Amino acid sequence: MRILCFGDSNTWGYIPGTGGRYASDVRWTGVLKQLTGFEVIEEGLNGRTTSFTDAVEPYRSGLDYIAPCVLSQLPLDYIVLMLGTNDTKTRYHVSASEIRRSMQEVIWRIRDMLGRNASEARILLVAPPFLKAQSDFEDFDAQSEQKILRLEKEYEELAREMDCTFLKAGDFVTEMGVDGLHFTPQGHRALAEAIAEKLNNMHRK
């Protein structure tokens, strides 16, 4: 089994407080590989959004990169998508429903690439967990916190509409690091275990 994990800094393995990167056996993608024995392809990028970009953080649009990414990584059995946190940054001025529509575009583009290559890879859509806006970090605010919470319902509905499997990361990642945004090692493991169980259930169907 080959799994493409497409996400942002929490897929990349950003260490809260230092900006370094967790070792491969700490990142949820690495733990997922250990738990399942599947081949796991890490495609995390700090600051990545569903489709939004700007001059401050260029080249961050997942929509712009997802097609060549999928094509370069074929064949694939599963694609795990976890994006949306960075979309809630104050400078983007978008709502949870607009983030949902952007994620829908990402899924459509994936499906187009899979269809062109006769691939039946299945998609697991993961709603990112909560965030805690820090007073000394202006990128996120109280509205960002509320948008993330609303995304859980938006993504669950989207997964149902688009025939994707859904997972709410907030059910398993119950604390954040000191920056309020990034997973602790315990959070990485908890998410990996949840995704592993979900993928195994998908594999049996």
Side-chain angles (χ1 to χ4, degrees):
M1 295 288 109
R2 282 173 53 83
I3 309 167
L4 173 64
C5 299
F6 192 81
D8 54 29
S9 53
N10 275 318
T11 298
W12 184 81
Y14 188 100
I15 300 175
T18 73
R21 191 179 193 185
Y22 285 121
S24 60
D25 61 349
V26 176
R27 301 193 294 268
W28 71 260
T29 47
V31 178
L32 180 65
K33 180 178 180 179
Q34 297 168 11
L35 293 172
T36 62
F38 297 164
E39 184 176 355
V40 175
I41 302 158
E42 296 179 308
E43 275 290 351
L45 174 65
N46 296 334
R48 177 177 279 154
T49 66
T50 53
S51 69
F52 307 106
T53 192
D54 58 30
V56 177
E57 290 186 295
Y59 315 118
R60 295 306 200 274
S61 168
L63 184 63
D64 288 347
Y65 184 63
I66 191 63
C69 178
V70 169
L71 289 173
S72 69
Q73 298 299 345
L74 288 170
L76 293 168
D77 296 286
Y78 299 100
I79 299 172
V80 180
L81 288 175
M82 186 171 66
L83 289 171
T85 298
N86 292 301
D87 303 54
T88 70
K89 287 179 177 177
T90 55
R91 65 175 173 270
Y92 290 129
H93 304 290
V94 293
S95 66
S97 62
E98 288 172 315
I99 298 170
R100 167 185 170 163
R101 290 200 296 272
S102 292
M103 178 59 85
Q104 186 174 40
E105 291 291 339
V106 172
I107 295 172
W108 274 334
R109 193 158 294 183
I110 290 172
R111 289 267 169 79
D112 180 45
M113 293 301 103
L114 295 177
R116 291 168 183 261
N117 290 274
S119 172
E120 297 182 357
R122 299 163 69 185
I123 298 172
L124 173 60
L125 178 58
V126 181
F130 65 94
L131 65 86
K132 293 292 185 182
Q134 305 295 306
S135 59
D136 58 346
F137 191 38
E138 63 184 12
D139 281 356
F140 299 91
D141 61 9
Q143 289 187 5
S144 303
E145 295 178 0
Q146 293 304 311
K147 289 176 186 178
I148 282 288
L149 294 177
R150 286 196 289 271
L151 266 188
E152 293 178 345
K153 181 178 179 182
E154 295 282 1
Y155 277 12
E156 186 172 15
E157 292 175 352
L158 177 61
R160 188 161 51 246
E161 291 174 7
M162 301 293 289
D163 193 27
C164 302
T165 302
F166 175 73
L167 179 72
K168 186 166 65 172
D171 286 343
F172 308 95
V173 181
T174 58
E175 64 178 17
M176 288 294 181
V178 294
D179 62 4
L181 292 169
H182 296 103
F183 302 167
T184 62
Q186 293 79 10
H188 276 273
R189 175 159 289 276
L191 181 62
E193 290 173 349
I195 291 177
E197 181 177 0
K198 186 70 72 170
L199 289 175
N200 284 328
N201 289 338
M202 294 168 67
H203 186 56
R204 286 194 289 266
K205 291 181 180 179

